[in-house]
Amino acid sequence: MDNRKIGIFDSGVGGLTVFSEIIKQLPNEEIIYIGDTKRFPYGSKSKESIIQISKQIVNYLVSQNVKLIVIACGTATSQALEELKQIYKVPIIGIIEPTILNCINNDTKNVGIIATKGTIRSGEWEKQIKQKNNNTYIISKETPLLAQMAEEGWTKNEVAKMAIKEYMKDFKDTKIEKIILGCTHYPLFEELIKQELGNNVEIINTGKQMAKYLKEYLNKNNMENTITNKENYSINLTDTECNFINVAEKLLNKSLKINKIEL
Ligand code: DGL
């Protein structure tokens, strides 16, 4: 039993797709969410910047005495997780490992990945998929406009339709069985992606994989929260001059209280 909080972070609203799955599957856990809106987008930044930003956030979460940290961001997972693990004692989990564990097996033949520029440049998804199944054929594509559009709440309008149509061209008429949404902002476009790729391509939402993994992890390590609280989470932003609240309230289907934090 460990009744301390779990820290979750991303550059903005994307991580809420992970947060929402975690609160569904682990309703007893108390959570501190950080949306680093001051420094959004992460996807176009250098690896050095992502490591530096991630360390600042992890330092803050450690100062809040969290029991575990979830990097609800593909960009920070692919470029900073390894470095963070060397530095901090607190367990830190990124979105790649749980997704590969749950979704790639010996039969997986063809997989698509979409993610930010930084994530694709890192080659981390490809590397870890190949470690699990060296015969898997991977088509990956950077789709940099999508996170920006998601922050604006443009996930169902005509612009979103056109962007998805364009980005999905490379995957149509291929034999991919699954497409991994390698950025946590992308589940907001799930409907449109489905429309483009059809029902035969499984769409992998990393938040769902993370929540499943986390549940098993907490149980195995005897770290579950045993106190049932009601509103047991806080949403914290590094800048509030943004559209976060509108998108977040729609996504979570509830009104939210936002705190501003200095990092
Ligand atoms: N949601 C993030 C990711 O999973 C970051 C997107 C961005 O800030 O560019 O990669």
Side-chain angles (χ1 to χ4, degrees):
M1 162 197 103
D2 189 337
N3 293 335
R4 290 177 300 157
K5 297 173 188 178
I6 293 174
I8 302 183
F9 76 91
D10 180 44
S11 59
V13 291
L16 290 179
T17 63
V18 181
F19 169 86
S20 65
E21 295 296 335
I22 291 177
I23 57 175
K24 238 186 266 164
Q25 294 197 37
L26 293 156
N28 282 355
E29 295 304 326
E30 205 170 332
I31 291 166
I32 304 181
Y33 182 89
I34 298 182
D36 190 12
T37 41
K38 183 161 87 176
R39 290 173 291 199
F40 174 87
Y42 282 2
S44 54
K45 293 190 168 51
S46 67
K47 178 172 174 160
E48 292 69 41
S49 299
I50 296 301
I51 291 174
Q52 191 193 22
I53 290 168
S54 302
K55 278 188 198 164
Q56 284 174 9
I57 297 178
V58 171
N59 284 340
Y60 175 83
L61 289 169
V62 168
S63 77
Q64 302 299 303
N65 193 27
V66 296
K67 64 178 169 188
L68 181 145
I69 294 173
V70 168
I71 308 185
C73 171
T75 309
T77 300
S78 62
Q79 297 179 90
L81 178 61
E82 279 318 308
E83 178 104 9
L84 297 173
K85 278 186 175 169
Q86 311 284 325
I87 306 172
Y88 298 94
K89 276 206 213 87
V90 63
I92 306 177
I93 306 173
I95 61 165
I96 298 180
E97 192 190 337
T99 306
I100 292 180
L101 188 76
N102 294 334
C103 304
I104 305 292
N105 56 42
N106 288 341
D107 301 327
T108 316
K109 292 194 177 64
N110 301 292
V111 176
I113 303 166
I114 52 172
T116 63
K117 270 185 197 292
T119 300
I120 298 297
R121 187 189 60 231
S122 77
E124 210 45 44
W125 280 101
E126 287 87 339
K127 190 178 112 197
Q128 294 192 36
I129 290 173
K130 289 283 181 195
Q131 279 166 2
K132 183 95 184 269
N133 181 348
N134 198 22
N135 295 322
T136 304
Y137 177 72
I138 306 160
I139 306 175
S140 53
K141 186 173 179 65
E142 53 185 60
T143 51
L145 291 181
L146 298 185
Q148 306 265 5
M149 287 166 53
E151 289 291 321
E152 283 305 314
W154 286 20
T155 53
K156 297 198 166 59
N157 65 10
E158 289 307 312
V159 182
K161 277 185 198 155
M162 278 165 63
I164 294 293
K165 205 174 176 67
E166 183 61 33
Y167 282 147
M168 288 304 120
K169 269 186 187 160
D170 289 8
F171 300 103
K172 280 182 121 176
D173 308 321
T174 64
K175 292 203 175 78
I176 56 163
E177 307 128 54
K178 308 172 191 231
I179 185 159
I180 297 173
L181 308 184
C183 165
T184 53
H185 282 74
Y186 299 176
L188 293 160
F189 299 93
E190 193 165 338
E191 263 171 50
L192 291 180
I193 294 172
K194 199 168 201 66
Q195 275 171 31
E196 278 305 303
L197 297 183
N199 288 332
N200 291 336
V201 178
E202 186 191 352
I203 298 176
I204 313 278
N205 174 337
T206 58
K208 289 203 171 101
Q209 310 314 322
M210 171 63 85
K212 184 171 166 210
Y213 181 94
L214 189 59
K215 194 169 179 179
E216 285 164 14
Y217 183 95
L218 295 179
N219 179 278
K220 203 168 75 195
N221 292 288
N222 198 20
M223 285 171 76
E224 288 150 318
N225 194 331
T226 49
I227 303 170
T228 314
N229 291 314
K230 254 196 159 173
E231 284 284 285
N232 48 359
Y233 54 83
S234 68
I235 309 273
N236 306 278
L237 301 183
T238 49
D239 195 338
T240 48
E241 274 306 307
C242 57
N243 203 31
F244 181 98
I245 186 133
N246 299 323
V247 181
E249 286 187 341
K250 260 200 212 143
L251 188 109
L252 299 173
N253 203 14
K254 58 177 85 172
S255 58
L256 296 171
K257 194 177 142 289
I258 305 283
N259 307 310
K260 182 154 187 247
I261 54 166
E262 297 296 334
L263 283 183

